[in-house]
């Protein structure tokens, strides 16, 4: 029996060991069992067709390198602040992934297509990276704009290769800036070719049952049409931090530094910023203390950094105003 299990996947060897077991049963006069085993063996998959789970490892489709990139994670779970709700969702997804075979054996689907929504700088990309690292899965980022334009050419086969790859290899396939797709769908209007491309990508996503996860991230929420929503098994929101989360974030950023002020006193000035902006504030304050050759980050460093960010925000939001 041990030999049989060890040879699983190597067809010739598997058949030889199975034959050996059957012969032994015949010798022991267990003819009914032997006959039924032989029948099962001949009804099994032909020697040519391999069981799916043992499909040979597909190499990463090189032709797709223009629009997909493997990212090595550099962040870990200690680097992200998540709401309790999101922590619960991710722990649930990880448990489900661990027990996927068991769940499928019960005829139930496993959640594997996730949509991350939320304003810029609130952790969608960071979370995809850390989630993949926690699962021990490689992370592939799909560059949608390049993918769409290559699809417009004659390389539709490459797109199929990507989906085939992610269907057979456990990985996280991350479609960042997924809004590009949604927008294109809206704007394509009379551009039939583009519309066809976007629709066929959506169909691919629809039909796909990834071995790992397919994650799409978008800044839009309400404006995404329901045709997009319903393709995902789970929608995860990444909101701007409330004052409790701001406190946790600032404490995390200054964890290995000494500061000579209480960040709590500045909470009201920090509200409304995304994590990426808060990150810039903490970084800038730290740099000021280094430049001034001080061992501790001072309250002045912090206040100045907040003022810089406020100025930056005023200027950039003015630039985005309609003219
Ligand atoms: N929840 C968070 N916890 C800790 N740091 C965060 C968090 N969200 C964002 N950051 C910081 O901001 C940076 C940018 O975040 P990220 O790229 O994940 O944002 P995003 O939501 O993907 O934004 P966009 O919509 O612009 O793509 C991160 O590299 C990290 O330094
Ligand atoms: Mg992002």
């Amino acid at each position: 029996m041990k030999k049989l299990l060890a040879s699983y996947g190597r067809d010739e060897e598997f058949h030889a060991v199975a034959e050996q077991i059957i012969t032994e049963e015949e010798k022991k006069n267990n003819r009914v069992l032997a006959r039924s085993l032989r029948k099962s063996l001949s009804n099994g998959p032909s020697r040519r067709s391999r069981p799916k789970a043992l499909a040979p490892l597909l190499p990463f489709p090189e032709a797709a390198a223009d629009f997909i990139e493997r990212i090595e994670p550099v962040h870990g779970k200690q680097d992200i602040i998540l709401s309790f709700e999101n922590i619960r969702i991710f722990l649930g997804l990880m448990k489900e992934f661990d027990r996927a075979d068991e769940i499928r054996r019960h005829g139930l689907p496993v959640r594997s297509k996730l949509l991350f929504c939320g304003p810029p700088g609130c952790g969608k990309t960071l979370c995809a990276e850390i989630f993949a690292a926690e699962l021990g899965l490689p992370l592939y980022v799909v560059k949608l704009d390049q993918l769409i334009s290559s699809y417009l050419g004659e390389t539709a086969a490459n797109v199929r290769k990507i989906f085939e790859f992610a269907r057979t290899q456990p990985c996280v396939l991350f479609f960042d800036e997924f809004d590009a797709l949604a927008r294109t769908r809206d704007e394509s209007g009379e551009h039939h070719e583009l519309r066809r491309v976007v629709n066929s990508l959506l169909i691919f996503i629809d039909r796909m049952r990834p071995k790992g996860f397919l994650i799409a991230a978008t800044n839009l929420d309400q404006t995404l049409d329901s045709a997009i929503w319903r393709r995902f098994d789970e929608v995860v929101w990444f909101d701007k931090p409330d004052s409790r989360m701001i406190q946790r974030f600032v404490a995390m950023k200054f964890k290995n530094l000494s500061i000579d002020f209480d960040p709590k006193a500045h909470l009201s000035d920090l509200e409304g910023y995304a994590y990426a902006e808060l990150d810039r504030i903490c970084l800038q304050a730290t740099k000021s203390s280094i430049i001034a050759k001080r061992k501790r980050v001072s309250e002045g460093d912090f206040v100045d950094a907040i003022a810089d960010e406020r100025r930056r925000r005023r200027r950039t939001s003015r630039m985005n105003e309609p003219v």
Side-chain angles (χ1 to χ4, degrees), residues 89-114:
I89 293 175
F90 284 111
L91 288 178
L93 287 166
M94 288 168 80
K95 276 194 204 135
E96 207 166 305
F97 177 73
D98 274 347
R99 311 282 291 274
D101 288 343
E102 207 177 322
I103 294 171
R104 287 199 190 98
R105 267 203 302 278
H106 282 80
L108 300 171
V110 173
R111 287 175 296 171
S112 59
K113 288 186 256 183
L114 318 177

mmCIF file of all heavy atoms in Angstrom, residues 89-114:
data_model
loop_
_atom_site.group_PDB
_atom_site.id
_atom_site.type_symbol
_atom_site.label_atom_id
_atom_site.label_comp_id
_atom_site.label_asym_id
_atom_site.label_seq_id
_atom_site.Cartn_x
_atom_site.Cartn_y
_atom_site.Cartn_z
ATOM 1 N N ILE A 89 -12.307 38.765 8.398
ATOM 2 C CA ILE A 89 -12.512 38.272 7.028
ATOM 3 C C ILE A 89 -11.275 37.513 6.538
ATOM 4 O O ILE A 89 -11.365 36.406 6.014
ATOM 5 C CB ILE A 89 -12.834 39.443 6.060
ATOM 6 C CG1 ILE A 89 -14.193 40.050 6.413
ATOM 7 C CG2 ILE A 89 -12.807 38.980 4.600
ATOM 8 C CD1 ILE A 89 -14.556 41.286 5.596
ATOM 9 N N PHE A 90 -10.102 38.097 6.763
ATOM 10 C CA PHE A 90 -8.890 37.453 6.232
ATOM 11 C C PHE A 90 -8.570 36.152 6.958
ATOM 12 O O PHE A 90 -8.142 35.174 6.329
ATOM 13 C CB PHE A 90 -7.697 38.421 6.259
ATOM 14 C CG PHE A 90 -7.805 39.438 5.155
ATOM 15 C CD1 PHE A 90 -8.043 40.769 5.430
ATOM 16 C CD2 PHE A 90 -7.722 39.041 3.835
ATOM 17 C CE1 PHE A 90 -8.194 41.696 4.407
ATOM 18 C CE2 PHE A 90 -7.871 39.953 2.794
ATOM 19 C CZ PHE A 90 -8.110 41.284 3.086
ATOM 20 N N LEU A 91 -8.803 36.133 8.280
ATOM 21 C CA LEU A 91 -8.553 34.874 8.992
ATOM 22 C C LEU A 91 -9.495 33.793 8.466
ATOM 23 O O LEU A 91 -9.094 32.646 8.255
ATOM 24 C CB LEU A 91 -8.741 35.062 10.509
ATOM 25 C CG LEU A 91 -7.639 35.878 11.193
ATOM 26 C CD1 LEU A 91 -7.956 36.053 12.678
ATOM 27 C CD2 LEU A 91 -6.269 35.212 11.026
ATOM 28 N N GLY A 92 -10.748 34.188 8.218
ATOM 29 C CA GLY A 92 -11.735 33.247 7.677
ATOM 30 C C GLY A 92 -11.308 32.722 6.312
ATOM 31 O O GLY A 92 -11.377 31.522 6.044
ATOM 32 N N LEU A 93 -10.824 33.627 5.473
ATOM 33 C CA LEU A 93 -10.399 33.222 4.123
ATOM 34 C C LEU A 93 -9.203 32.269 4.185
ATOM 35 O O LEU A 93 -9.112 31.313 3.419
ATOM 36 C CB LEU A 93 -10.031 34.455 3.294
ATOM 37 C CG LEU A 93 -11.203 35.319 2.837
ATOM 38 C CD1 LEU A 93 -10.720 36.678 2.340
ATOM 39 C CD2 LEU A 93 -11.994 34.616 1.730
ATOM 40 N N MET A 94 -8.306 32.538 5.138
ATOM 41 C CA MET A 94 -7.123 31.684 5.248
ATOM 42 C C MET A 94 -7.499 30.286 5.725
ATOM 43 O O MET A 94 -6.980 29.284 5.223
ATOM 44 C CB MET A 94 -6.094 32.326 6.187
ATOM 45 C CG MET A 94 -5.442 33.538 5.528
ATOM 46 S SD MET A 94 -4.492 34.535 6.639
ATOM 47 C CE MET A 94 -3.013 33.601 6.701
ATOM 48 N N LYS A 95 -8.447 30.243 6.669
ATOM 49 C CA LYS A 95 -8.898 28.923 7.158
ATOM 50 C C LYS A 95 -9.563 28.158 6.028
ATOM 51 O O LYS A 95 -9.358 26.960 5.868
ATOM 52 C CB LYS A 95 -9.898 29.103 8.306
ATOM 53 C CG LYS A 95 -9.230 29.293 9.636
ATOM 54 C CD LYS A 95 -10.232 29.128 10.761
ATOM 55 C CE LYS A 95 -9.764 29.869 11.984
ATOM 56 N NZ LYS A 95 -10.786 30.651 12.628
ATOM 57 N N GLU A 96 -10.367 28.885 5.268
ATOM 58 C CA GLU A 96 -11.082 28.246 4.165
ATOM 59 C C GLU A 96 -10.090 27.709 3.120
ATOM 60 O O GLU A 96 -10.286 26.625 2.578
ATOM 61 C CB GLU A 96 -12.012 29.287 3.528
ATOM 62 C CG GLU A 96 -13.208 28.690 2.870
ATOM 63 C CD GLU A 96 -14.268 29.734 2.556
ATOM 64 O OE1 GLU A 96 -14.704 30.455 3.468
ATOM 65 O OE2 GLU A 96 -14.658 29.815 1.379
ATOM 66 N N PHE A 97 -9.041 28.486 2.885
ATOM 67 C CA PHE A 97 -8.027 28.061 1.912
ATOM 68 C C PHE A 97 -7.331 26.780 2.395
ATOM 69 O O PHE A 97 -7.111 25.848 1.629
ATOM 70 C CB PHE A 97 -7.013 29.199 1.716
ATOM 71 C CG PHE A 97 -5.887 28.845 0.797
ATOM 72 C CD1 PHE A 97 -6.104 28.750 -0.574
ATOM 73 C CD2 PHE A 97 -4.610 28.599 1.292
ATOM 74 C CE1 PHE A 97 -5.065 28.415 -1.438
ATOM 75 C CE2 PHE A 97 -3.570 28.264 0.438
ATOM 76 C CZ PHE A 97 -3.799 28.177 -0.934
ATOM 77 N N ASP A 98 -7.015 26.763 3.704
ATOM 78 C CA ASP A 98 -6.348 25.580 4.282
ATOM 79 C C ASP A 98 -7.203 24.326 4.135
ATOM 80 O O ASP A 98 -6.679 23.232 3.971
ATOM 81 C CB ASP A 98 -6.119 25.800 5.784
ATOM 82 C CG ASP A 98 -4.830 26.544 6.031
ATOM 83 O OD1 ASP A 98 -4.037 26.662 5.083
ATOM 84 O OD2 ASP A 98 -4.631 27.012 7.172
ATOM 85 N N ARG A 99 -8.513 24.499 4.281
ATOM 86 C CA ARG A 99 -9.407 23.335 4.263
ATOM 87 C C ARG A 99 -10.168 23.211 2.954
ATOM 88 O O ARG A 99 -11.212 22.564 2.914
ATOM 89 C CB ARG A 99 -10.401 23.466 5.431
ATOM 90 C CG ARG A 99 -9.751 23.793 6.761
ATOM 91 C CD ARG A 99 -9.105 22.569 7.391
ATOM 92 N NE ARG A 99 -10.101 21.629 7.804
ATOM 93 C CZ ARG A 99 -10.721 21.680 8.981
ATOM 94 N NH1 ARG A 99 -10.423 22.619 9.835
ATOM 95 N NH2 ARG A 99 -11.620 20.771 9.291
ATOM 96 N N ALA A 100 -9.619 23.835 1.897
ATOM 97 C CA ALA A 100 -10.349 23.916 0.623
ATOM 98 C C ALA A 100 -10.769 22.541 0.105
ATOM 99 O O ALA A 100 -11.911 22.365 -0.328
ATOM 100 C CB ALA A 100 -9.509 24.643 -0.412
ATOM 101 N N ASP A 101 -9.866 21.572 0.183
ATOM 102 C CA ASP A 101 -10.192 20.251 -0.382
ATOM 103 C C ASP A 101 -11.393 19.644 0.328
ATOM 104 O O ASP A 101 -12.294 19.098 -0.296
ATOM 105 C CB ASP A 101 -8.987 19.313 -0.253
ATOM 106 C CG ASP A 101 -7.893 19.731 -1.228
ATOM 107 O OD1 ASP A 101 -8.221 20.486 -2.171
ATOM 108 O OD2 ASP A 101 -6.735 19.320 -1.031
ATOM 109 N N GLU A 102 -11.370 19.777 1.660
ATOM 110 C CA GLU A 102 -12.456 19.211 2.461
ATOM 111 C C GLU A 102 -13.792 19.876 2.109
ATOM 112 O O GLU A 102 -14.808 19.212 1.944
ATOM 113 C CB GLU A 102 -12.117 19.487 3.921
ATOM 114 C CG GLU A 102 -12.691 18.525 4.886
ATOM 115 C CD GLU A 102 -12.196 18.901 6.289
ATOM 116 O OE1 GLU A 102 -11.022 19.313 6.431
ATOM 117 O OE2 GLU A 102 -13.022 18.807 7.210
ATOM 118 N N ILE A 103 -13.736 21.204 1.974
ATOM 119 C CA ILE A 103 -14.965 21.954 1.659
ATOM 120 C C ILE A 103 -15.493 21.530 0.292
ATOM 121 O O ILE A 103 -16.688 21.290 0.114
ATOM 122 C CB ILE A 103 -14.689 23.472 1.707
ATOM 123 C CG1 ILE A 103 -14.361 23.885 3.143
ATOM 124 C CG2 ILE A 103 -15.883 24.274 1.186
ATOM 125 C CD1 ILE A 103 -13.865 25.301 3.302
ATOM 126 N N ARG A 104 -14.564 21.405 -0.665
ATOM 127 C CA ARG A 104 -14.992 21.011 -2.022
ATOM 128 C C ARG A 104 -15.545 19.603 -2.025
ATOM 129 O O ARG A 104 -16.477 19.303 -2.762
ATOM 130 C CB ARG A 104 -13.817 21.112 -3.000
ATOM 131 C CG ARG A 104 -13.481 22.550 -3.325
ATOM 132 C CD ARG A 104 -12.675 22.661 -4.607
ATOM 133 N NE ARG A 104 -12.176 24.014 -4.742
ATOM 134 C CZ ARG A 104 -10.952 24.406 -4.395
ATOM 135 N NH1 ARG A 104 -10.081 23.530 -3.930
ATOM 136 N NH2 ARG A 104 -10.586 25.658 -4.536
ATOM 137 N N ARG A 105 -14.957 18.741 -1.185
ATOM 138 C CA ARG A 105 -15.478 17.362 -1.126
ATOM 139 C C ARG A 105 -16.930 17.348 -0.680
ATOM 140 O O ARG A 105 -17.686 16.459 -1.009
ATOM 141 C CB ARG A 105 -14.629 16.515 -0.173
ATOM 142 C CG ARG A 105 -13.507 15.777 -0.885
ATOM 143 C CD ARG A 105 -13.038 14.568 -0.103
ATOM 144 N NE ARG A 105 -12.581 14.899 1.228
ATOM 145 C CZ ARG A 105 -11.349 15.361 1.503
ATOM 146 N NH1 ARG A 105 -10.492 15.548 0.531
ATOM 147 N NH2 ARG A 105 -11.006 15.631 2.744
ATOM 148 N N HIS A 106 -17.324 18.377 0.087
ATOM 149 C CA HIS A 106 -18.727 18.480 0.511
ATOM 150 C C HIS A 106 -19.578 19.145 -0.567
ATOM 151 O O HIS A 106 -20.735 19.483 -0.335
ATOM 152 C CB HIS A 106 -18.848 19.287 1.806
ATOM 153 C CG HIS A 106 -18.487 18.500 3.027
ATOM 154 N ND1 HIS A 106 -17.187 18.285 3.411
ATOM 155 C CD2 HIS A 106 -19.261 17.860 3.934
ATOM 156 C CE1 HIS A 106 -17.177 17.550 4.513
ATOM 157 N NE2 HIS A 106 -18.423 17.281 4.847
ATOM 158 N N GLY A 107 -18.969 19.390 -1.702
ATOM 159 C CA GLY A 107 -19.706 19.996 -2.815
ATOM 160 C C GLY A 107 -19.917 21.491 -2.653
ATOM 161 O O GLY A 107 -20.761 22.084 -3.322
ATOM 162 N N LEU A 108 -19.143 22.115 -1.747
ATOM 163 C CA LEU A 108 -19.342 23.557 -1.517
ATOM 164 C C LEU A 108 -18.229 24.373 -2.179
ATOM 165 O O LEU A 108 -17.089 23.905 -2.264
ATOM 166 C CB LEU A 108 -19.357 23.836 -0.006
ATOM 167 C CG LEU A 108 -20.463 23.117 0.757
ATOM 168 C CD1 LEU A 108 -20.265 23.284 2.253
ATOM 169 C CD2 LEU A 108 -21.832 23.644 0.346
ATOM 170 N N PRO A 109 -18.570 25.588 -2.613
ATOM 171 C CA PRO A 109 -17.525 26.407 -3.250
ATOM 172 C C PRO A 109 -16.610 27.050 -2.211
ATOM 173 O O PRO A 109 -17.025 27.295 -1.080
ATOM 174 C CB PRO A 109 -18.339 27.472 -3.991
ATOM 175 C CG PRO A 109 -19.614 27.586 -3.214
ATOM 176 C CD PRO A 109 -19.879 26.250 -2.584
ATOM 177 N N VAL A 110 -15.386 27.309 -2.609
ATOM 178 C CA VAL A 110 -14.420 27.978 -1.724
ATOM 179 C C VAL A 110 -14.267 29.405 -2.221
ATOM 180 O O VAL A 110 -14.114 29.636 -3.423
ATOM 181 C CB VAL A 110 -13.066 27.237 -1.791
ATOM 182 C CG1 VAL A 110 -11.993 27.990 -1.017
ATOM 183 C CG2 VAL A 110 -13.210 25.826 -1.256
ATOM 184 N N ARG A 111 -14.335 30.373 -1.287
ATOM 185 C CA ARG A 111 -14.197 31.772 -1.724
ATOM 186 C C ARG A 111 -12.776 32.002 -2.239
ATOM 187 O O ARG A 111 -11.812 31.719 -1.538
ATOM 188 C CB ARG A 111 -14.458 32.724 -0.546
ATOM 189 C CG ARG A 111 -15.917 32.812 -0.151
ATOM 190 C CD ARG A 111 -16.080 33.671 1.080
ATOM 191 N NE ARG A 111 -15.407 33.082 2.242
ATOM 192 C CZ ARG A 111 -15.237 33.695 3.406
ATOM 193 N NH1 ARG A 111 -15.680 34.920 3.576
ATOM 194 N NH2 ARG A 111 -14.630 33.097 4.399
ATOM 195 N N SER A 112 -12.667 32.498 -3.444
ATOM 196 C CA SER A 112 -11.319 32.690 -3.989
ATOM 197 C C SER A 112 -11.196 33.964 -4.829
ATOM 198 O O SER A 112 -10.112 34.300 -5.252
ATOM 199 C CB SER A 112 -10.926 31.482 -4.832
ATOM 200 O OG SER A 112 -11.848 31.318 -5.882
ATOM 201 N N LYS A 113 -12.318 34.658 -5.061
ATOM 202 C CA LYS A 113 -12.229 35.893 -5.845
ATOM 203 C C LYS A 113 -12.640 37.070 -4.964
ATOM 204 O O LYS A 113 -13.772 37.132 -4.483
ATOM 205 C CB LYS A 113 -13.132 35.787 -7.073
ATOM 206 C CG LYS A 113 -12.552 34.826 -8.099
ATOM 207 C CD LYS A 113 -13.337 34.813 -9.358
ATOM 208 C CE LYS A 113 -14.185 33.575 -9.437
ATOM 209 N NZ LYS A 113 -14.938 33.471 -10.678
ATOM 210 N N LEU A 114 -11.692 37.962 -4.743
ATOM 211 C CA LEU A 114 -11.910 39.043 -3.784
ATOM 212 C C LEU A 114 -11.816 40.395 -4.480
ATOM 213 O O LEU A 114 -10.976 40.578 -5.359
ATOM 214 C CB LEU A 114 -10.849 39.013 -2.674
ATOM 215 C CG LEU A 114 -10.459 37.646 -2.106
ATOM 216 C CD1 LEU A 114 -9.341 37.825 -1.080
ATOM 217 C CD2 LEU A 114 -11.667 36.975 -1.464
#
